[in-house]
Amino acid sequence: MRFTTMLLRAALLLQSILADQVLGVASLDDSTRARCPSGWQIQRELGPRLSEKAAVAVPSSSDWDRLMVRAAAPRISPRFMASVEVATEKDVQETIKYANHIGVPFLVVSGGHGQPTTLNNLHCGIQINMRKMNDTTVSKDGKTATGGGGVMQHEIVASLFKQGKMAVTGLCECVSLAGPLLGGGHSMLQGRYGFSADNLVSARLVLANGSAVTASAAENPDLFWAIRGAGHNFGVATSLQVKVYDATQNWTMIIFTFTQDKLERFFNTWNRVEDENDDHGTIVLNGHMGRDPDIDSVHPVIGLAIFFKGQNNVIGAYTSAFLALGPVSHTTVTDIPYGDLYDTGGMGTDGLVCRDDHNILGYPSSFPRWDADAMRAGFALFSEFTGSEKFATSAWLLESYGRKGVETVPEDSNAVSPEDRRYHLLTSPMLWWAGDDEQDRARAMSFGKRMQTAVRRNSKTPPHAYVNYAFGGEPLPEVYGRDGARLARLKRLKAEYDPHNRFGFYVPIR
Ligand SMILES: Cc1cc2nc3c(=O)[nH]c(=O)nc-3n(C[C@H](O)[C@H](O)[C@H](O)COP(=O)(O)OP(=O)(O)OC[C@H]3O[C@@H](n4cnc5c(N)ncnc54)[C@H](O)[C@@H]3O)c2cc1C
Ligand SMILES: *[C@@H]1O[C@H](CO)[C@@H](O)[C@H](O)[C@H]1NC(C)=O
Ligand SMILES: *[C@@H]1O[C@H](CO)[C@@H](O)[C@H](O)[C@H]1NC(C)=O
Ligand SMILES: *[C@@H]1O[C@H](CO)[C@@H](O)[C@H](O)[C@H]1NC(C)=O
């Protein structure tokens, strides 16, 4: 571990030297370059340039702890000298111009659920906290809504539902609108409407040099292409205009629990029902493997929640197929208004998945079909790993949010990788534990990697990791797609819009 820390330090030093060279900031003399600016200095110099509602916090401020809360801490701990709670687009511009001027890095924080390890490369930075920019406005024609750059999923869902509308967001209420969307965005609605990113109509962005632009099909179309899939690399989204749909129909949730001896039949059944129902509307299969000692004190169990909207023609085929496996339990909840769906589904802000201060660590893979033998091999490792009390709340995600809606969007229409459209099964051991013990971390990393290797071992498709679940050390083609021309386009746009890699902490394109 010490060796890794040394490497990290060396990388940081190199990065700051390079940043200084390329930025060529005139006012930066050798003495300022050598040290971190104090939070006080930032507060004193930047504060007066900001709008009335903005605020600059320093480590001794009473708000500091609240602003530093992260889901995957302490594993993910970007190091900030100051936090700027921006309230307007101009605040974002001023903050970036100031950071460029004094030669320090910055990082945007909205929901605080980002987890790639590359976030830890931020050192001596300014946090651009977006949470004050959390309004949602529905357009006059009722076809789109504009959400602030820091609006949380639970806020936009509630605001829209009051007006009988819904947007394609993520599934967990504790993430922002922007965070998932900029990387694609898996959602309850994707079976019909595509990824969150596919539903973006336009965005206001503050670029690395502090200028603010609109990105849409009509304005800066190249940038618009890039931010829908690789958006964390290109700018700060101060607002996002997205398509909205009527949210009049209620939802149903069916929950099954199986013991692990059913594992092979479980995955084969899943494959079969999906083979037989290419277009299943808004049926969402959201499964997970995890510990439930009341049911099985030795091994994790397999849970599957099926959600669907309104009446569904093929739901009967799904429920009867899984019932035939003999679940330990199954429960049906009907009449769930869209506004309550996430809370009822266990994905609300108070849900276990939304807890903060746990070292979330994921090793994602996407597949077109389940390989039951490979899942069994991964399960054996997961069972061993979660047998220890410390890691017992880890969950292995098994997700199929719907194919038709994402497949009908042409692959070249935006920067969401074709792999994300083609391989609809998204799975990842999500290792959850608390504390900063280095041995725990090493153990989690070792098991996580082995679980990923196990489930990928016979795969006919090349390894793919969804950017928003990425660990942060994956080769770029594994995340952004293997098509060389597409990657070259992304790199060219990155060089054009962010030549000094200022947005270089979230799965950076370099
Ligand atoms: C419990 C949990 C549930 C999840 N559920 C889903 C899900 O349902 N669907 C899904 O697709 N993914 C999901 N994810 C993954 C999720 O997409 C990413 O973790 C995402 O980065 C979270 O965004 P955030 O704003 O909450 O986190 P943050 O850490 O605040 O943001 C993550 C990164 O996004 C960028 N960013 C944030 N706001 C802006 C902005 N306004 N402009 C520009 N860049 C910005 C920054 O680079 C930042 O580092 C989940 C993750 C967790 C831990
Ligand atoms: C915006 O955030 C504040 C602070 O969390 C909250 O009180 C307010 O209700 C939010 N606004 C909306 C529209 O959700
Ligand atoms: C949706 O469910 C609620 C109860 O949760 C019920 O009051 C309402 O009538 C239902 N709406 C429809 C369209 O079925
Ligand atoms: C900022 O960067 C954009 C994109 O590269 C460029 O078009 C614009 O001219 C730059 N603005 C300034 C003031 O340099």
Side-chain angles (χ1 to χ4, degrees), residues 58 60 69 132 140 171-172 189 232 241 264 277 335 346 358 367 369 412 418 428 432 499:
V58 298
S60 58
V69 169
K132 287 191 184 219
K140 284 214 182 76
L171 285 93
C172 287
L189 304 177
H232 315 96
Q241 185 194 6
E264 285 78 4
N277 299 283
D335 291 323
H358 276 67
F367 299 117
R369 290 175 68 75
D412 61 1
S428 182
W432 250 284

Side-chain angles (χ1 to χ4, degrees), residues 160-178:
L160 291 179
F161 187 65
K162 264 188 226 150
Q163 302 178 62
K165 300 285 178 187
M166 60 186 182
V168 184
T169 57
L171 285 93
C172 287
E173 292 208 311
C174 48
V175 297
S176 65
L177 168 68

Side-chain angles (χ1 to χ4, degrees), residues 415-420 464-465 475-484 486-487 490:
V416 175
S417 78
E419 287 83 344
D420 282 310
H464 180 71
L476 286 187
E478 185 173 328
V479 177
Y480 291 110
R482 288 171 190 278
D483 173 359
R486 164 184 290 270
L487 262 183
L490 271 177

Side-chain angles (χ1 to χ4, degrees), residues 70-71 107-115 119 130 149-150 152-153 169-172 174-176 178-182 184-187 231-232 235-238 240 353-354 360 401 432 466 468-469 506:
R70 288 199 73 88
L107 178 69
V108 194
V109 172
S110 291
H113 274 71
Q115 44 181 320
L119 289 169
M130 299 299 290
M152 298 291 288
Q153 165 162 332
T169 57
L171 285 93
C172 287
C174 48
V175 297
S176 65
L181 184 149
L182 295 170
H186 281 280
S187 130
H232 315 96
V236 181
T238 54
L240 301 141
V353 290
C354 278
I360 311 172
Y401 295 132
W432 250 284
Y466 171 46
N468 283 324
Y469 284 14
Y506 193 93

Side-chain angles (χ1 to χ4, degrees), residues 161 247-251 311 334-338 340:
F161 187 65
T248 44
Q249 282 176 305
N250 280 339
W251 288 66
Q311 305 295 319
T334 58
D335 291 323
I336 310 170
Y338 181 74
D340 297 341

Side-chain angles (χ1 to χ4, degrees), residues 131 134-135 155 159:
R131 287 287 296 116
N134 69 341
D135 282 343
E155 293 170 341
S159 302

Side-chain angles (χ1 to χ4, degrees), residues 207-211 213 495-499:
L207 303 176
N209 62 8
S211 31
V213 299
E496 180 181 341
Y497 284 99
D498 186 18

